[in-house]
Amino acid sequence: MALLEVRNLATHFFTREGTVRAVDGVSFALEPGKTLGIVGESGSGKSVTALSIMGLIPKPPAEIVSGDVLFEGRDLTKLSEKQLEDVRGREIAMIFQDPMTSLNPTLTIGTQITETIRRHYDVPKQQARKKAVELLEEVQIPRAADRLDDYPHRFSGGMRQRVMIAIALSCDPKLLIADEPTTALDVTVQAAVLDLLDDLRQAHEMAMILITHDMGVVAESADDIVVMYGGQIVEHASVNDLFDRPEHPYTEALLGALPQIEGEGIRTGRLTAIPGRPPDLKNPPPACRFAPRCPYANANDSCATVIPELREIRKDHWVRTAHPACERAGAREPEKVQA
Amino acid sequence: MTTFIIRRLFWTIPVILLVILLTFTMMRQIQGNPFRKSERAVPEAVQRNLERKFNLDKPWYLQYAYYVKGVATYDLGPSLVLRGRTVNDIVEEHFPVSIELGLYAFLFALITGVPLGMIAALRHNTALDYGAMFFSNVGHAVPSFLVATLLIYFFALQWGDVTGLPTSGWSSWEHKILPSIALGLGPMALFARLVRGTMLETLQQDYVRTARAKGLHYRRVVGLHVLRNSLIPVVTAAGPLLGFIITGSFIIELIFNVPGIGQYFVTAVNARDYSVVMGLTVLLSVIVIGANLVVDILYGILDPRTRDART
Amino acid sequence: MVANPTDIREEGIAVEPGAAPASGAPLRQSNLWRDAWRRYIRNRGAVVAGSIFVLVLLYCLIAPILSPHDPNAVDFAMASQNPTWEHPFGTDKFGRDLFTRTALGGRVSMAIGFGATLAILAIGVVYGAISGFVGGRLDNGLMRFLDALYGLPYLPFAIITLAIIGKTNLWTMMVALSIASWFTAARIVRGQVITLKENDYVRAAKAVGARWYRILGRHLLPNTLGVLIIAIFLELPAVILGEAFLSFIGLGISPPDASWGAMAQEGRTVYRTHPTAIIVPSIAIATLVLCANFVADGLRDALDPRTKES
């Protein structure tokens, strides 16, 4: 049985200006101990998906309008807030993009770690503090015992993200959701934090959802990758298959936008190289949401009229487009021309 | 933290000296020596004597020095009008009453205003929120003398048989209810608006989401993570609030005939009892400065970032 | 036409379309006001408050001219009437028409209110602009001075000021009310000037050698205007209430010219039998204060869109 199964999840924001379909029919599954990468531009719905799983979407204006989130067979969307509180932090933990604002500035980090432990386990304060020191050591914060009573403003961004990871690990969750964990960090510490996350995931036998806009981040640590665009999944495959044979024009563009370093494979990169803008999710394009930016879409073909389904183009490789790479005339190799 | 407090304490000394100097300079500008009022024909020699007794014949900086010394040793000098009474007597007689009234008003404002603001923020954009904010806006705008008069009119006169509340005076606990509410209504409205505003802002913060993501109970998220950060601006507002209460007490004490400092201040101004006016002004200023000091220290306790910045 | 070299260079930058950051300043400004107006109009509460505010102003200006009643005509036969068609607000204990007298009182209150507010802003602008613009040790000293005075209760100092001047009229009331109330305004202006000073277009102007008074007059003060307009509506209610308090404790301007506060004080003597006489001027004060507060909030949201949308 899958640890987490998201089925046809739709989360909409009901604003005065109209309904924003931030997440619109997303499905995927995650096995225990595996890592799923969710990749997309900002506004593609990847963060809202994560918050929907945790039951942390801001209501109002947001609302889960349909779909199930099955965690070990239990539908999280049907749980009461009280029951959800027991799941959060204990079964599923989450770390966020900006470590500078994600820790409470008025409480010591010791308090912020131990309050999590003591919320989920009935342990005395001293024992929780001991556990907190171990956690800080595990995330490689020097002089852990001394730093327990420091306030967050005494820590650098990278160190704070390590504290966030320590908090997330404190109750041995089965699933860790990392929402752009390295985006706000200096390039020099990004790799270190990513390596740490992956090591800890293995050591604690957790499953992980790694959300990012950066293909380079998921290339090394993810098992499967979901590419999101305009609130929908446009491609879903194993990491190797996706990198070797991307089918969706958007994925191709994402990979094409990556700078290639010889011999080293893929490192970091931004998505700015794709022309056009992400769709307005109040008034999305009528059929294929990528059509306005798609180099293969023609004005008079089906892209503007027929909604493309997510179809299995070969075993375990799903794609949502009328023009997958393998079906195009002349096929393949649009980008990989080396000078 | 200790160095911060000591440093902050040290800084209040020149501030108090400056405020005394300002008050002193202003008082010296007032025309009309109380001993040279035309109605009272006092022989020239007696006048000289009186002036010497009150140091009025010395140069201004010596007078200032004497006065500062007086303030430091809590000796605010004799009343110029009431023979045989000192400003200290007057302070000791009227000041506790004002403190009591201000304290009750502050407590009333705190225990009604903060929850009102919290409810409004937690039920943002509902009828409850709008109602609370309308009430708070009106409470902030209506002059305290109308509130006081209406309270007396309804609770002491119209329904006096039921409530048993008196119209004025300060002798029993029944006397203290209406003045405290009348004085506290404005600060209460201020608290409610402040708490609502900062709480709405705090609720949006990433660390509140983190707290929820850790599975903390809603009560702890709101009660610790949100409230603690929301109260920082409220504490900062407590300084000006004290000024607000002092100003209000002038009116409220007059209407309810409460024998406090505010009422006596007006009497003293009209009687040209300048040593009393000056003593009371300096006293009120020192209290405000002291309150600002406490606010700063509280701020340092509540927000650890400021501690590092200033020590 | 010969201009000095600095002017030419400065003009050069201002004309260049969208290239240098300096040209952003005037362009941003016109859009700012139009956008602000549009945002304000969309805020229903602020529009209603603004309309009532204007209506009250008009009432105070027009009602005494149109009214058939002499505001100072004493008629004990008509004393302490409740509202009727003839006297929409009733009459006071001397039988004077409160509809007319409230309008006249409003003129007095408003004259003192606006006068003192402008005085407060004038002091605040000069103090704040000097402090913020010069910076350094002077700024530090001036701000320490403000810190010292911050939060002092204005009422005792206003009362002493009145005692110093020795007489009470429109002008002395303005002085008394502004003398201990300008600290906040000075702080706001200084904060704004310092923020703007760090802006790119000011740096650009400095880089091309514009003189300090030109930077101050052309770039800093115009951009502080929005803050000042908000400050007017923030200070006005405080000043009007302050005047009412002073009048209420018997230190207002002398009869028969009565401000709202003085009318309330007069009404208080008969509140047991005829509460209308204190309620009417008090509600007038409350209405004006409430509207000014709402207008200030609306203006703040309109002029500073970053704080909008919660």
Side-chain angles (χ1 to χ4, degrees), chain A residues 51 54-57 81-82 85-86 88-90 92-94 96-98 101-107 111-113 115-116 119-120 151 153-154 164 167, chain B residues 124-125 202 204-221 224-226 228-229 232 301-309 311:
Chain A
L51 292 173
M54 296 287 284
L56 286 177
I57 50 167
E81 180 65 23
K82 269 229 140 58
E85 282 172 358
D86 289 335
R88 290 185 206 133
R90 175 73 187 83
I92 309 176
M94 187 161 178
F96 299 96
Q97 174 170 355
D98 191 352
T101 56
S102 293
L103 288 167
N104 191 328
T106 60
L107 298 173
T111 308
Q112 297 189 56
I113 300 174
E115 70 174 350
T116 321
R119 161 67 182 85
H120 294 291
Y151 288 91
H153 69 273
R154 296 253 180 112
M164 284 295 291
I167 291 173
Chain B
H124 186 39
N125 280 340
T202 313
Q204 305 287 322
Q205 297 294 322
D206 286 349
Y207 56 78
V208 173
R209 193 179 55 187
T210 307
R212 293 187 64 206
K214 294 194 291 193
L216 300 183
H217 289 304
Y218 183 71
R219 237 177 312 129
R220 186 173 169 99
V221 175
L224 182 73
H225 290 263
V226 175
R228 196 182 162 100
N229 285 282
I232 293 174
I301 292 170
L302 280 174
D303 191 343
R305 283 166 296 188
T306 55
R307 257 179 267 165
D308 278 2
T311 46

Side-chain angles (χ1 to χ4, degrees), chain A residues 161-217:
Chain A
Q161 197 61 299
R162 286 168 194 265
V163 172
M164 284 295 291
I165 295 171
I167 291 173
L169 293 178
S170 63
C171 297
D172 282 309
K174 299 188 179 97
L175 170 62
L176 175 65
I177 302 178
D179 187 359
E180 305 254 11
T182 57
T183 308
L185 301 181
D186 286 348
V187 182
T188 46
V189 294
Q190 281 186 357
V193 169
L194 273 181
D195 288 346
L196 178 73
L197 257 183
D198 203 42
D199 292 348
L200 292 171
R201 183 194 62 77
Q202 283 174 20
H204 289 252
E205 293 167 344
M206 293 183 295
M208 180 156 78
I209 295 179
L210 186 56
I211 296 171
T212 178
H213 63 260
D214 185 344
M215 274 288 187
V217 167

Side-chain angles (χ1 to χ4, degrees), chain B residues 100-109 112 135 139 144 147-148 151-152 155 165 170 174-189 252 256:
Chain B
E100 202 185 348
L101 172 62
L103 204 66
Y104 293 151
F106 182 79
L107 285 180
F108 169 76
T112 53
F135 179 75
S144 53
V147 177
L151 283 177
I152 295 175
F155 289 97
L165 295 175
W170 191 255
E174 284 105 334
H175 286 97
K176 300 174 183 177
I177 293 178
L178 292 182
S180 304
I181 293 177
L183 184 54
L185 198 72
M188 168 204 168
I252 299 298
F256 286 95

Side-chain angles (χ1 to χ4, degrees), chain C residues 108-125:
Chain C
V108 177
S109 286
M110 226 91 84
I112 296 172
F114 276 108
T117 301
L118 290 182
I120 287 169
L121 292 186
I123 303 171
V125 165

Side-chain angles (χ1 to χ4, degrees), chain C residues 73-125:
Chain C
V74 175
D75 178 2
F76 287 105
M78 291 296 289
S80 297
Q81 299 277 308
N82 279 326
T84 58
W85 281 113
E86 166 113 37
H87 301 289
F89 291 170
T91 60
D92 67 7
K93 60 180 172 179
F94 299 113
R96 298 177 293 194
D97 176 46
L98 278 177
F99 185 78
T100 321
R101 280 187 69 76
T102 305
L104 280 173
R107 287 184 180 181
V108 177
S109 286
M110 226 91 84
I112 296 172
F114 276 108
T117 301
L118 290 182
I120 287 169
L121 292 186
I123 303 171
V125 165

